[in-house]
Amino acid sequence: MQQFKDYTGSVYGGLGHLLYTYSQAKGLVISEKLEQVQNLERFDFSLLRDLLTDMQQHIHMPALGLDIAEHVQPKHLGIIAYIALSCNTLGEALQRYYDFHRLVYDGSALQVNMLGDYLAIGWGNMPFHITTQVTHELAIALMLQFMKYFMNCEDIQVHEVHFVHPAPKNTVLYEQYFRCRVRFSQPVAQIILPVHELAKSFCQGDQTLQNLLMQQAQSLLDKLPHSTQLDQRLQQAILIGIQKNQYQIEPISQQLNMSVRQLQRHLQQQGTTYQQRMQEVRHLLAEQYLKDPHLSLQEIALLLSYSEQSAFQRAFKQWTGFTPQQWRQQQYL
């Protein structure tokens, strides 16, 4: 692929869906450009910038990026959201965000720096003329809004927020939103957090993940003639375990306060094995993820804890008789 001088990288397709959702909520006319990105796995950052600029010209709203971020849902951020939902603390979630941030936006490396008792997270390599105030608003607000969405009632305390573009007319809106000092015309767009915030635990992270995924996995329990509370707990443990790549029978049985032998005996009485139950969950999760047109096969393989995409493809063909790509294409016929 040819690289142009001002190539700005690509963004996750779910951000296009977020803009669509926001436009509908605000009663805006859906442009042809916005329609065209709805089923793309990724699209150029420059197109996201242009969509935001067009939106700004039509709606004339100050701090537009902050308002759009209020509508974010896990599906708009894709794999990072699914992974973050299995984390226990803010620090763990931020570490995973750092590991996989290029899946949301691959044009600029995420910079994480320690500043004494503070942690600065920002984007410093984007040329000034390629970005806008709204693109930086959206980037920072999306990260903060998503983290706050899954925290306990006690919100994340932000120390400062920096933007590279000049201050707009009404800076009070920004200070009210972030509830901290907001600086403009800074060298780097970044959010600065006290280090002690990293130890904060997420609000029922496992429960949130369960609610997202159990909609599909519940059908497995419905097939069991005598579903028990243990089966439901096992289902949840496998779901969470797959997200964390800790789905082997040993850690799962420990979560259930059982020995491996006790769990195997329980499943034997139902005419199944742990391996079969785990693969059934993987199968249903795979179909759930494949219905999201923005997730690539590589990302889905990672979400299902496969070390290689080819291993996921072989397993899926054994389950359904189709390759993942063939199955996905059938959904849009």
Side-chain angles (χ1 to χ4, degrees):
M1 176 174 159
Q2 184 179 0
Q3 296 291 309
F4 297 97
K5 182 179 179 181
D6 281 345
Y7 174 67
T8 55
S10 62
V11 298
Y12 178 61
L15 294 181
H17 188 200
L18 171 61
L19 297 189
Y20 192 97
T21 299
Y22 179 79
S23 297
Q24 286 186 315
K26 296 295 182 179
L28 302 177
V29 175
I30 307 298
S31 69
E32 184 177 349
K33 284 194 293 186
L34 185 53
E35 287 277 10
Q36 289 173 346
V37 302
Q38 289 311 297
N39 290 322
L40 297 181
E41 287 184 1
R42 307 190 67 82
F43 58 92
D44 283 354
F45 171 82
S46 58
L47 180 52
L48 175 68
R49 178 197 59 204
D50 293 346
L51 289 169
L52 289 170
T53 299
D54 291 346
M55 201 173 287
Q56 179 86 77
Q57 291 173 349
H58 283 90
I59 199 170
H60 301 293
M61 174 177 284
L64 174 63
L66 309 187
D67 198 48
I68 293 173
E70 294 285 341
H71 293 72
V72 69
Q73 293 294 321
K75 62 184 178 182
H76 297 137
L77 300 181
I79 187 172
I80 284 184
Y82 288 113
I83 291 175
L85 289 176
S86 67
C87 295
N88 295 319
T89 66
L90 176 58
E92 184 184 356
L94 285 176
Q95 178 61 54
R96 303 310 297 274
Y97 187 88
Y98 178 80
D99 291 341
F100 296 105
H101 72 274
R102 291 184 63 246
L103 296 178
V104 177
Y105 172 53
D106 72 350
S108 175
L110 194 68
Q111 298 179 348
V112 179
N113 298 303
M114 292 297 299
L115 305 174
D117 294 331
Y118 299 97
L119 182 75
I121 307 169
W123 300 262
N125 296 330
M126 289 293 289
F128 182 86
H129 70 282
I130 287 176
T131 62
T132 66
Q133 174 63 25
V134 180
T135 62
H136 278 149
E137 287 172 9
L138 185 61
I140 292 178
L142 276 181
M143 180 171 26
L144 181 65
Q145 191 67 23
F146 180 74
M147 291 188 298
K148 289 171 66 174
Y149 189 82
F150 297 102
M151 292 296 288
N152 282 306
C153 296
E154 183 183 8
D155 283 342
I156 300 169
Q157 301 300 310
V158 179
H159 177 63
E160 283 188 2
V161 171
H162 295 179
F163 290 108
V164 299
H165 293 272
K169 292 182 179 179
N170 190 352
T171 60
V172 175
L173 287 175
Y174 297 86
E175 294 180 346
Q176 289 176 340
Y177 183 89
F178 292 109
R179 292 194 291 178
C180 69
R181 183 176 184 178
V182 179
R183 298 172 181 259
F184 296 87
S185 299
Q186 298 298 304
V188 176
Q190 62 184 355
I191 183 169
I192 303 175
L193 303 168
V195 172
H196 62 74
E197 292 292 298
L198 303 184
K200 282 188 174 178
S201 60
F202 280 114
C203 178
Q204 296 181 331
D206 288 357
Q207 184 66 42
T208 305
L209 181 63
Q210 181 192 18
N211 290 339
L212 285 174
L213 304 179
M214 283 292 284
Q215 298 173 19
Q216 296 295 320
Q218 183 63 40
S219 62
L220 287 179
L221 296 177
D222 294 340
K223 294 176 183 177
L224 296 176
H226 303 291
S227 181
T228 66
Q229 184 180 18
L230 174 58
D231 293 312
Q232 295 174 356
R233 290 172 55 217
L234 173 62
Q235 197 82 337
Q236 180 179 355
I238 294 175
L239 283 167
I240 303 300
I242 289 174
Q243 301 297 305
K244 295 187 175 186
N245 197 20
Q246 297 174 354
Y247 56 87
Q248 294 80 7
I249 191 170
E250 290 81 5
I252 297 298
S253 61
Q254 288 178 2
Q255 288 187 47
L256 300 175
N257 295 318
M258 302 175 68
S259 69
V260 171
R261 181 60 188 147
Q262 286 174 318
L263 179 54
Q264 289 174 329
R265 190 180 304 118
H266 170 76
L267 294 172
Q268 188 177 22
Q269 291 171 351
Q270 296 182 333
T272 187
T273 66
Y274 178 77
Q275 185 69 13
Q276 287 175 319
R277 288 297 297 275
M278 188 268 293
Q279 290 296 344
E280 286 172 345
V281 173
R282 263 182 163 170
H283 176 191
L284 285 174
L285 289 181
E287 292 188 356
Q288 165 104 351
Y289 294 138
L290 283 168
K291 290 176 182 177
D292 183 344
H294 310 304
L295 284 174
S296 69
L297 298 186
Q298 182 180 2
E299 291 169 338
I300 294 172
L302 182 60
L303 283 169
L304 297 174
S305 291
Y306 284 103
S307 58
E308 296 180 356
Q309 180 181 327
S310 58
F312 161 55
Q313 291 177 307
R314 287 194 300 271
F316 193 86
K317 189 159 188 180
Q318 289 178 345
W319 298 330
T320 66
F322 299 97
T323 67
Q325 193 63 36
Q326 290 170 337
W327 191 93
R328 172 176 266 174
Q329 289 171 347
Q330 286 188 336
Q331 304 307 301
Y332 299 102
L333 293 180

